[in-house]
Amino acid sequence: MQLDRVFGALSDATRRAIVMRLCDGEASVGELAKPFEMALPSLMKHIRILESSGLVASEKTGRVRMCSLQTEALATVEVWLAAQREVWEQRLDRLEMYLRN
Amino acid sequence: MQLDRVFGALSDATRRAIVMRLCDGEASVGELAKPFEMALPSLMKHIRILESSGLVASEKTGRVRMCSLQTEALATVEVWLAAQREVWEQRLDRLEMYLRN
DNA sequence: TGATTGGTTAGCCATAAAGCTAACTATAGT
DNA sequence: ACTATAGTTAGCTTTATGGCTAACCAATCA
């Protein structure tokens, strides 16, 4: 499922940092790599994982690959969480109703 | 980090299903296991992972272990997502401002 | 007390994740 | 044409994940 991949992608601090960086705008692979002490191929793997989750898209022009955030994928997660919250809040409401009577 | 574990816990459909079930109220390990074709020990592993992420708490009384959702852990994720959204929306706002002038 | 139920422990397997190095490709700059 | 830059591929480790079975403990119930 898509949610598997999105949650999985966000379960790593490096990848969350990349996402945070991309919230501020597009960046090349090199720019994304700078803050980390990691070897490039390792970082590329993270980018691949982010891409396969749908959180990031990238396009190569010349020898530079630019990456951008796909906010819809993050929205998917927000939607899922909101749905859960609704269920548990309804339950708490029922509980409160019950306790009042 | 805590977020690592929470996102990791939610990256599996079985565990998300458990979380969804617990949104509706407490449940024993046995009740949680029923909907799945999985062997009990496998399911227990998932419960352990959910516990170590802080999403679920459990307590054993007699021979029955009751599990409950810890909504604060889900809230942690919501907070992180909201923070990202704020950043990217600010950027889009700036972009719009720029395009207007 | 003996059997059943509810969960737990231990240990095995296959696959995937996260990192590395080394070597390679392809574009840009001089 | 040569060199430096920006990624990419391949292949290797180590550790974690997700599943299983088989055997085990502990609380009920008859």
Side-chain angles (χ1 to χ4, degrees):
Chain A
M1 203 189 296
Q2 179 72 355
L3 277 176
D4 283 38
R5 294 191 166 273
V6 179
F7 277 119
L10 293 174
S11 72
D12 179 277
T14 300
R15 289 193 293 263
R16 282 198 307 279
I18 293 175
V19 166
M20 289 164 76
R21 167 62 189 73
L22 291 178
C23 280
D24 242 350
E26 296 200 334
S28 69
V29 170
E31 284 177 283
L32 290 176
K34 261 177 209 158
F36 302 100
E37 305 203 336
M38 205 172 288
L40 244 202
S42 311
L43 201 111
M44 277 299 297
K45 271 198 194 173
H46 287 299
I47 294 180
R48 287 277 152 70
I49 290 173
L50 286 165
E51 282 194 296
S52 84
S53 77
L55 279 165
V56 164
S58 75
E59 201 178 355
K60 196 167 181 176
T61 51
R63 61 185 169 176
V64 167
R65 176 177 297 279
M66 286 303 265
C67 303
S68 59
L69 190 65
Q70 301 297 102
T71 57
E72 316 83 59
L74 277 179
T76 306
V77 175
E78 286 185 300
V79 165
W80 188 85
L81 285 171
Q84 308 318 305
R85 172 177 284 280
E86 194 175 341
V87 172
W88 93 62
E89 286 189 341
Q90 274 178 16
R91 174 171 61 91
L92 294 184
D93 287 353
R94 283 198 304 274
L95 187 63
E96 200 194 345
M97 292 265 283
Y98 170 79
L99 291 177
R100 274 194 198 173
N101 304 329
Chain B
M1 200 188 297
Q2 178 72 355
L3 277 176
D4 282 39
R5 293 189 166 274
V6 179
F7 276 118
L10 294 174
S11 73
D12 180 277
T14 301
R15 291 193 292 264
R16 283 198 306 279
I18 293 175
V19 166
M20 288 165 77
R21 166 64 188 74
L22 291 179
C23 280
D24 243 350
E26 297 200 334
S28 69
V29 170
E31 285 177 283
L32 289 176
K34 261 177 209 158
F36 303 101
E37 305 203 337
M38 206 172 288
L40 243 200
S42 310
L43 201 111
M44 278 298 297
K45 270 198 195 174
H46 288 299
I47 293 178
R48 287 276 152 70
I49 289 173
L50 286 166
E51 282 193 298
S52 83
S53 77
L55 279 165
V56 164
S58 75
E59 200 178 356
K60 195 166 180 175
T61 50
R63 63 185 167 174
V64 167
R65 176 176 297 278
M66 286 304 264
C67 303
S68 60
L69 191 65
Q70 301 297 100
T71 58
E72 315 84 59
L74 276 178
T76 306
V77 175
E78 286 184 301
V79 166
W80 187 85
L81 285 171
Q84 308 319 305
R85 173 177 284 279
E86 195 175 342
V87 172
W88 94 60
E89 286 188 342
Q90 274 178 15
R91 174 171 59 91
L92 293 184
D93 287 353
R94 283 198 304 275
L95 187 62
E96 200 195 346
M97 293 264 284
Y98 171 79
L99 291 177
R100 272 192 201 177
N101 305 328

